[in-house]
Amino acid sequence: QSALTQPPSASGSPGQSVTISCTGTSSDVGGYEYVSWYQQHPGKAPKLMIYEVNKRPSGVPGRFSGSKFGNTASLTVSGLQAEDEADYYCSSAAVNKKVVFGGGTKLTVL
Amino acid sequence: QVKLVESGGDLVKPGGSLRLSCAASGFNFGDYHMNWIRQAPGKGLEYISSIAFSATDTYYADSVKGRFAISRDNAKNSLYLHMNSLSVEDTAVYYCTRENYYRSDYWGQGTLVTVSS
């Protein structure tokens, strides 16, 4: 069982927006501004999409954004495109555990 | 550009041992903490071990503590994971990652470890 809770699936049509949640506790998501999001296509290594809650690495489209309220972080993908179909994982710094991950969310572009 | 290349994955019997390696290039290896993260087939990501840039501090997840040992050779730009007492639950793709304030900003392509009799 993963430390952070994500919905197993999410979906949206091209051009729409979709938000994926990541719920933890005050010992991880709620206690640190070190929430990250990763995108993983089948058979590929994960790729960092969001770090420190809402910052985008160079080269990540502006369609990807992050936020946090209390113990829940969120990733929003706006203007969905076919290539956004992938698995998404959240992670957070955590007390005594260094870093914890969510179980992952499979995003389907309809 | 930053490159991480893992090697050493193999088929091993339960109770066996294995050493994974990660060759780093394109950045000052000795300036960064490094991690091993694994992914069992069809499952999510699991953060299993990390080592500080100077190797003074290490971290292990409970699932591998006492069985795995992380090390690094900054002169060779290399990261290692020594795995002992392997069980079928250790079957996974093992990724080497560069850590940057609790985020893995670069990942290798992964190396597959299969534990089976």
Side-chain angles (χ1 to χ4, degrees):
Chain A
Q1 188 170 349
S2 301
L4 306 180
T5 301
Q6 297 180 236
S9 63
S11 63
S13 299
Q16 288 186 332
S17 293
V18 65
T19 297
I20 299 170
S21 62
C22 170
T23 301
T25 69
S26 57
S27 295
D28 38 64
V29 174
Y32 299 91
E33 298 303 300
Y34 292 117
V35 175
S36 301
W37 289 91
Y38 302 89
Q39 176 192 65
Q40 186 180 34
H41 287 110
K44 300 293 187 182
K47 174 187 175 184
L48 179 67
M49 304 299 284
I50 296 288
Y51 68 98
E52 292 176 10
V53 178
N54 56 16
K55 298 177 182 176
R56 277 180 288 108
S58 174
V60 172
R63 305 183 289 104
F64 291 85
S65 62
S67 62
K68 189 184 84 159
F69 184 78
N71 296 334
T72 298
S74 298
L75 172 72
T76 297
V77 186
S78 305
L80 269 177
Q81 298 184 6
E83 60 261 35
D84 299 333
E85 184 162 296
D87 293 327
Y88 291 84
Y89 294 90
C90 64
S91 75
S92 173
V95 173
N96 296 328
K97 289 187 181 292
K98 193 70 184 302
V99 169
V100 290
F101 280 99
T105 297
K106 182 177 180 61
L107 175 60
T108 300
V109 180
L110 302 171
Chain B
Q1 75 282 20
V2 173
K3 194 171 183 182
L4 300 169
V5 180
E6 302 94 335
S7 61
D10 204 349
L11 171 63
V12 61
K13 288 181 167 47
S17 299
L18 207 57
R19 188 185 84 156
L20 305 183
S21 300
C22 172
S25 60
F27 65 103
N28 292 327
F29 181 72
D31 288 345
Y32 288 87
H33 297 351
M34 297 293 294
N35 304 320
W36 287 100
I37 295 170
R38 71 182 180 184
Q39 186 171 34
K43 303 296 184 182
L45 301 170
E46 182 186 11
Y47 186 95
I48 58 169
S49 187
S50 69
I51 186 166
F53 63 91
S54 61
T56 50
D57 289 314
T58 58
Y59 165 85
Y60 299 96
D62 288 342
S63 58
V64 305
K65 197 175 297 181
R67 300 187 300 121
F68 290 11
I70 191 171
S71 63
R72 64 190 296 163
D73 185 335
N74 287 346
K76 294 183 177 180
N77 292 338
S78 293
L79 176 72
Y80 306 101
L81 186 67
H82 308 258
M83 304 186 294
N84 297 315
S85 303
L86 285 162
S87 70
V88 294
E89 288 76 28
D90 296 316
T91 293
V93 173
Y94 286 72
Y95 294 102
C96 160
T97 79
R98 189 180 84 168
E99 179 169 323
N100 199 342
Y101 288 94
Y102 301 99
R103 66 185 182 268
S104 285
D105 57 359
Y106 288 94
W107 297 63
Q109 84 289 350
T111 189
L112 177 62
V113 173
T114 303
V115 184
S116 175
S117 54

